[in-house]
Amino acid sequence: MVSVRHIHFGQTPTSLTTWLEGLALSDKQREALAATCQYCQRCECDDADRVESLMLRAREMVEILLPLNMDLDTLRASVLYVFVDEELLPLEQLQEQQGEGLTALVQSVQVMAAIRSLRSRSTPGEAQIDKLRKMLLAMVEDVRAVVIKLAEAVVLLREVKGADEETRVILAREVSDIHAPLANRLGIGQLKWELEDLAFRYLHPKTYKEIARWLDGKRIDRETYIDNFVSTLQAALDKDGIRAEVSGRPKHIYSIWRKMQKKNLSFEELFDVRAVRIIADRLQDCYGALGMVHSLWHHLPNEFDDYVATPKSNGYQSIHTVVMGPQGKTVEIQIRTWQMHEDAELGVAAHWKYKEGSTGKAGGFEEKINWLRKILAWQDDVVESGNLVEEIRSQVFEDRVYVFTPRGDVIDLPVGSTVLDFAYYIHSQVGHRCIGAKIDGRIVTFTTLVETGQRVEILTSKEPNPKRDWLNPNAGFIKTSRARGKIQAWFKSQAKEKNAAAGREMLEAELAKKDLSLSDAQGAVKRFNMHSFDDLLAAIGGGDVRLSQVINHLQSKLGRHEFDEQQAMEELLAKPAPSHKAKSSGQVEVNGVGNLLTHIANCCQPLPGDDIQGYITRGKGVSVHRDGCDQLAHLLERHPERVVDVVWGGSHSGGFNATVRLLANDRAGLLRDVTTVLANEKSNVVEMSSHSDEKQNTAAIELKMELYNMTSLSRILARLGQINGVIEVRRV
C-alpha cells in the first residue's frame, strides 16, 4: 500500500516546526532533524526560492522514508543529500560539521548516480564502468543509500507533473526501466507501486486515464461490495477463533494494465479489481483463513498461488486466491502474516538494522549475501536492450565475482580469481604471509576459485614466505596481474641489495666514459619516479630501467651535448603520417590560429581523448604530442615560446597509431590468446614483434595498432590484461 503524504512539490509549505510536529518521531529525533534542516537552509545560496524548493523536496523524501522504518541518520542524510547534490553544501565540510557516518551515507547516495549510465546511449569507458562497480558495492554495503535514491525518484516524478512532455517521458522511462525493477528486486512494495504508477501515467497517459475512469465509475459500488464482503469474512474468522485482520486492498493502475496485457483480458474480465487482504498473527492462521475463505465461496483453481511455500525471487511471501463472491463477482484475496506484510511493503529496508548489530554478526552477513544476490539479479530486469547493457553486464556483472571478508566487507574480483588473489587484494602482507584459506568455514587449497556470495578467510603466519611456484601460470595459484605484480615485487625486494650493487657498478663504468660522477646521477631519481638513489641503482641492476636512458637524461640535463632541434624534429617526423592524417582536416585544431599543417608525433602517438600540446616546427607545421612526452619536454627547454594550444576537432575519420607493450609468462598458446583478443575487438594490427627471456621464462610482445579513440584502446588493454599469465600491459 502506498502511504499518504502531506508534503507535495509546488504547494505552499507549512513551517518547519509545524511539519516536524506532525512526524512520528521522538522529541530528541525532532531536534536532530530540525538542526539538519536549519543547517541546510543556511547554505550559501542567494536564491531563497530555490532553497525553499529544495527543502520541500527534502521534506517529501523524509515523509516517504519514515513509513519504511528507516533510522534518524537516513532521514537526515536524505535532507543533506538534496543540497549536496545541488552543490549548495560542500562535501568537504560535511564530515567536520555533521559527522563521519552521515557523510559516508551521503557519499554512498552520490555514488548511486552512476545508475543513470544504464540508460546512456554511448559505450561506457573504463572510468564509467568503475563508477558502476562502485555503485554496486555501495548498494550492498549500505542498503539505506538505495532506499534514499528510490525515494528521490518518487519525488522527482511528482515534481515533473507540470513539466513538458519530453522531460516527463525521459524521467518516467528511466524510472520504469531502472528504479522500479530495483525496488521490486529489493522487495520494497511501497515504493515499487508508486514508481510504476507514476511512470505509467507519463508514458501511457491515455491508457492511464481510461483505467482510472473505469475505476472511478465503479468506485461507489465496488467500495460498498468490498465493505460487505470484509464484514462477512471478518465475522466468520472471529467466530472460528482465527486471529486475523481483514481489509480492502487498493488496486494499482499499472498492475491492472499489466494483467490486462499479460492475459489479454478486458477490464470487465479482471479477477482482482475487487481485492481483499487478510493479515494473520500466525502462519497456521493463514492456512486456517484460507480454508475458511474456500468454505464460504467457490474458488477458481487456476488463480491460486502459494508464495509462502515457494517465495518469489525477491523474498515476497503471501497466499493468493480468487473466489466467486456474492452476486457472482470475483474477488482476489491475499493472506499473509504481519511479518510477511512488513517484508512485502518494506523489503530489504525492513532488515537494514543489521548495521546496529540487532541481528548479530552472522545475521548481518547473511542479509548482505541476500541483498547481493537480489541486486545481481536486478540486471535481468533492466528492460533496455542494445550493446550498452550487454557491455555493462559483461564488465560489471558477468566478469566479476563479489565475495565477503569475515567482517562482511564486499570485495570485487575478476571471474576466475583464487583465494590467493583474494589475499593479495586485501593487502600485500596478507598475501605474502598466507598459509591457508577457508571458504564459508571450510579449509580449501590455494588454487580454489572464489564465487559470488562466499565468505573467504585467510590464514596467515608471522613472517612473509611467498613461493616462486605461485608465479607459475600453469599451476593456477593466481589469476590477477595485481597479485602477480606484488609477488614479483617481493622477490625483487629480496634481491635489492644485489641488484643495487650491480647497478652501481654498471652506472659508475658508464659515467666514467662520459666524464661524469656518481653524484651527478642523483638528479635522475625524480625523473624515473624512484624514492631514493638506491632504488634507482636496484632498478638499473634488475633491468627495470635502461642504463642508456639514465645517461641520456643526465647529458641532456647537464648540457654535455648539443641538442640538435632540427635533427630531433626529423626523427619525430621520420615516419610521415598518411596524407589524410598529416593535414589539419578537423582532427586537430590549433587555438587562435588559422588552418595550419599538423602532424601526429611518432614519438608518443597521441590518440583522440589524450591531453595534447602543439609545437611549431621549422617548415613542417605543428607537431602534436601527448602531455608529458619526453621529446616535447626537450624541445621546450630550448624554445618554450613555440608551444601552442591544440585540441581534438570534431572529425576523427582516420585512424591513429598506438603502441602497446605486453609482458607475460611464456607459455604455449600465449600468442594465440593475444591475437584472439585483437580479432574479437576488430583491431587493425600494423606491426607485431615478440621476444622471449628463457632465464625469466617471460615473453615481451609489442603491438602497433591503428585505433580511433581512447575508449577502444582502454577496452583492448583491459581485455589483454585478463589473459592468463599476463604480468603487465601498457601503452608506450
Side-chain angles (χ1 to χ4, degrees):
M1 296 174 64
V2 179
S3 58
V4 178
R5 295 187 295 280
H6 303 289
I7 291 291
H8 296 291
F9 182 81
Q11 71 178 46
T12 303
T14 58
S15 68
L16 180 62
T17 304
T18 304
W19 174 70
L20 287 168
E21 288 176 352
L23 300 179
L25 296 172
S26 66
D27 291 341
K28 187 175 181 180
Q29 290 173 324
R30 285 195 187 93
E31 290 176 5
L33 185 57
T36 302
C37 292
Q38 291 163 359
Y39 172 77
C40 293
Q41 288 175 326
R42 293 194 299 269
C43 66
E44 297 181 3
C45 181
D46 297 330
D47 189 346
D49 290 338
R50 183 187 179 196
V51 173
E52 191 62 41
S53 175
L54 293 176
M55 183 53 65
L56 189 63
R57 180 189 300 176
R59 287 194 196 182
E60 187 169 1
M61 287 176 64
V62 169
E63 289 202 6
I64 294 172
L65 295 168
L66 195 55
L68 298 178
N69 294 338
M70 304 307 291
D71 66 338
L72 179 62
D73 279 353
T74 305
L75 304 181
R76 296 174 64 196
S78 65
V79 176
L80 293 168
Y81 166 71
V82 170
F83 288 83
V84 170
D85 190 51
E86 292 289 329
E87 299 182 350
L88 296 182
L89 286 178
L91 196 60
E92 299 76 24
Q93 299 177 10
L94 208 61
Q95 183 169 343
E96 178 182 347
Q97 298 177 358
Q98 296 294 319
E100 184 176 346
L102 276 177
T103 305
L105 184 52
V106 171
Q107 287 177 312
S108 294
V109 183
Q110 282 192 304
V111 170
M112 287 287 295
I115 201 170
R116 287 183 173 269
S117 299
L118 291 170
R119 288 203 53 80
S120 172
R121 294 294 179 186
S122 59
T123 302
E126 286 300 308
Q128 195 58 46
I129 292 297
D130 185 55
K131 286 182 181 178
L132 288 166
R133 286 191 179 126
K134 289 179 179 178
M135 178 197 76
L136 175 65
L137 297 179
M139 290 163 73
V140 179
E141 286 291 349
D142 198 335
V143 75
R144 295 177 297 175
V146 187
V147 182
I148 292 174
K149 197 67 180 176
L150 293 177
E152 181 195 32
V154 173
V155 175
L156 293 179
L157 279 175
R158 288 183 170 275
E159 287 184 11
V160 299
K161 181 179 179 180
D164 59 89
E165 183 179 359
E166 182 181 3
T167 301
R168 294 198 305 268
V169 169
I170 289 175
L171 179 60
R173 191 167 298 283
E174 177 183 320
V175 168
S176 177
D177 293 352
I178 306 298
H179 294 86
L182 179 57
N184 178 54
R185 277 291 171 181
L186 299 180
I188 310 176
Q190 277 200 26
L191 299 185
K192 169 185 177 288
W193 294 119
E194 189 161 8
L195 288 169
E196 289 177 339
D197 269 14
L198 289 172
F200 180 65
R201 180 178 184 176
Y202 298 146
L203 294 175
H204 305 280
K206 291 183 180 179
T207 307
Y208 180 92
K209 290 177 182 177
E210 188 175 12
I211 297 176
R213 189 167 57 253
W214 287 338
L215 290 172
D216 287 339
K218 301 182 180 182
R219 185 177 302 278
I220 296 177
D221 292 340
R222 190 173 64 253
E223 289 179 351
T224 302
Y225 183 91
I226 290 297
D227 288 342
N228 294 333
F229 188 94
V230 168
S231 299
T232 301
L233 181 54
Q234 185 72 66
L237 294 176
D238 293 342
K239 183 179 179 180
D240 207 39
I242 298 175
R243 293 180 294 176
E245 181 180 301
V246 187
S247 62
R249 183 173 66 88
K251 282 303 298 178
H252 302 278
I253 293 179
Y254 177 77
S255 66
I256 292 175
W257 177 78
R258 278 288 301 271
K259 184 156 291 188
M260 291 170 62
Q261 296 293 312
K262 184 178 180 181
K263 298 190 176 183
N264 195 24
L265 299 172
S266 66
F267 181 78
E268 289 75 14
E269 296 174 304
L270 291 177
F271 294 136
D272 56 354
V273 173
R274 291 166 291 275
V276 169
R277 178 173 290 147
I278 301 173
I279 305 180
D281 291 346
R282 302 172 302 172
L283 179 59
Q284 54 265 42
D285 290 332
C286 290
Y287 289 98
L290 177 64
M292 176 61 68
V293 168
H294 286 179
S295 68
L296 292 173
W297 300 284
H298 174 70
H299 76 281
L300 305 184
N302 294 334
E303 298 297 328
F304 176 80
D305 293 293
D306 188 352
Y307 295 119
V308 173
T310 308
K312 288 186 178 182
S313 58
N314 62 2
Y316 175 84
Q317 287 184 293
S318 188
I319 299 172
H320 292 192
T321 187
V322 176
V323 300
M324 192 67 69
Q327 305 172 27
K329 295 181 178 179
T330 55
V331 181
E332 184 197 54
I333 301 175
Q334 294 182 355
I335 308 171
R336 60 179 68 154
T337 64
W338 286 103
Q339 183 60 55
M340 294 175 192
H341 180 65
E342 183 181 51
D343 290 344
E345 296 298 296
L346 308 184
V348 297
H351 302 280
W352 66 265
K353 290 186 179 178
Y354 85 90
K355 286 275 183 185
E356 299 177 347
S358 60
T359 59
K361 186 175 181 179
F365 173 73
E366 293 301 327
E367 291 294 350
K368 275 195 172 184
I369 290 180
N370 292 333
W371 299 351
L372 177 59
R373 287 172 179 164
K374 290 174 184 177
I375 291 169
L376 291 175
W378 160 59
Q379 60 166 315
D380 298 327
D381 296 333
V382 177
V383 301
E384 179 75 6
S385 61
N387 296 331
L388 171 70
V389 171
E390 291 304 317
E391 182 81 8
I392 290 173
R393 284 177 175 168
S394 64
Q395 296 196 44
V396 180
F397 296 106
E398 294 177 3
D399 69 343
R400 312 298 292 184
V401 291
Y402 300 88
V403 295
F404 294 91
T405 67
R407 294 192 308 172
D409 297 326
V410 187
I411 303 299
D412 170 20
L413 295 168
V415 167
S417 296
T418 66
V419 292
L420 201 53
D421 286 308
F422 173 87
Y424 276 102
Y425 188 96
I426 298 300
H427 196 279
S428 56
Q429 287 302 315
V430 174
H432 294 336
R433 296 188 289 114
C434 179
I435 57 173
K438 292 181 180 180
I439 292 182
D440 295 334
R442 177 175 54 87
I443 294 288
V444 296
T445 64
F446 283 169
T447 57
T448 302
L449 304 185
V450 295
E451 298 178 1
T452 293
Q454 291 179 331
R455 176 167 48 182
V456 183
E457 180 182 356
I458 301 300
L459 309 176
T460 58
S461 62
K462 292 183 178 180
E463 299 297 330
N465 189 28
K467 304 292 190 295
R468 290 193 179 273
D469 288 345
W470 293 357
L471 294 172
N472 185 346
N474 298 320
F477 285 104
I478 55 174
K479 156 80 173 181
T480 63
S481 57
R482 173 174 179 166
R484 187 175 301 280
K486 288 184 176 182
I487 297 171
Q488 290 173 329
W490 188 85
F491 283 113
K492 283 184 179 180
S493 68
Q494 302 307 298
K496 183 177 180 180
E497 293 184 4
K498 181 179 179 181
N499 289 336
R504 180 183 294 272
E505 184 178 343
M506 294 165 60
L507 185 60
E508 285 179 338
E510 195 62 29
L511 288 173
K513 295 177 183 178
K514 306 295 183 182
D515 194 24
L516 297 170
S517 66
L518 203 61
S519 61
D520 294 328
Q522 298 280 350
V525 172
K526 186 176 181 181
R527 163 64 181 81
F528 292 96
N529 298 320
M530 298 294 170
H531 295 294
S532 65
F533 187 56
D534 285 341
D535 290 340
L536 177 61
L537 295 176
I540 295 172
D544 295 324
V545 173
R546 293 200 298 269
L547 185 60
S548 59
Q549 289 180 310
V550 179
I551 298 300
N552 289 337
H553 171 73
L554 294 176
Q555 288 183 318
S556 173
K557 185 176 181 180
L558 297 174
R560 293 298 183 89
H561 64 77
E562 286 297 321
F563 185 74
D564 190 334
E565 178 199 10
Q566 188 63 35
Q567 181 182 352
M569 292 311 306
E570 289 175 359
E571 290 178 358
L572 290 177
L573 305 173
K575 230 175 152 185
S579 59
H580 74 282
K581 290 188 287 187
K583 295 182 179 181
S584 178
S585 57
Q587 292 178 336
V588 177
E589 298 175 358
V590 181
N591 289 352
V593 187
N595 186 24
L596 291 181
L597 178 71
T598 60
H599 297 277
I600 300 299
N602 289 317
C603 56
C604 55
Q605 298 176 335
L607 286 173
D610 281 330
D611 293 331
I612 52 176
Q613 281 190 305
Y615 180 83
I616 302 176
T617 66
R618 294 176 178 175
K620 294 187 178 182
V622 175
S623 179
V624 180
H625 298 256
R626 268 193 286 169
D627 268 356
C629 172
D630 288 344
Q631 290 281 19
L632 178 64
H634 289 320
L635 292 173
L636 294 182
E637 284 180 4
R638 296 288 300 276
H639 298 287
E641 72 280 0
R642 293 194 183 188
V643 67
V644 292
D645 291 332
V646 292
V647 295
W648 294 107
S651 171
H652 303 315
S653 58
F656 293 76
N657 288 336
T659 303
V660 172
R661 185 168 297 155
L662 181 146
L663 180 65
N665 291 292
D666 201 2
R667 62 174 175 82
L670 175 63
L671 191 58
R672 178 202 62 208
D673 292 345
V674 171
T675 54
T676 298
V677 168
L678 298 176
N680 291 338
E681 293 296 327
K682 297 180 175 59
S683 58
N684 183 22
V685 179
V686 179
E687 294 179 13
M688 176 184 289
S689 62
S690 62
H691 173 73
S692 296
D693 186 335
E694 295 182 359
K695 292 182 179 180
Q696 298 290 330
N697 191 34
T698 59
I701 301 176
E702 191 164 289
L703 308 161
K704 180 174 287 187
M705 296 176 289
E706 188 178 41
L707 300 169
Y708 294 87
N709 51 54
M710 283 297 296
T711 301
S712 57
L713 176 62
S714 298
R715 188 168 58 249
I716 290 172
L717 291 176
R719 293 288 188 258
L720 291 175
Q722 293 175 359
I723 295 175
N724 184 29
V726 169
I727 300 171
E728 179 188 37
V729 57
R730 60 186 176 88
R731 179 184 176 189
V732 295

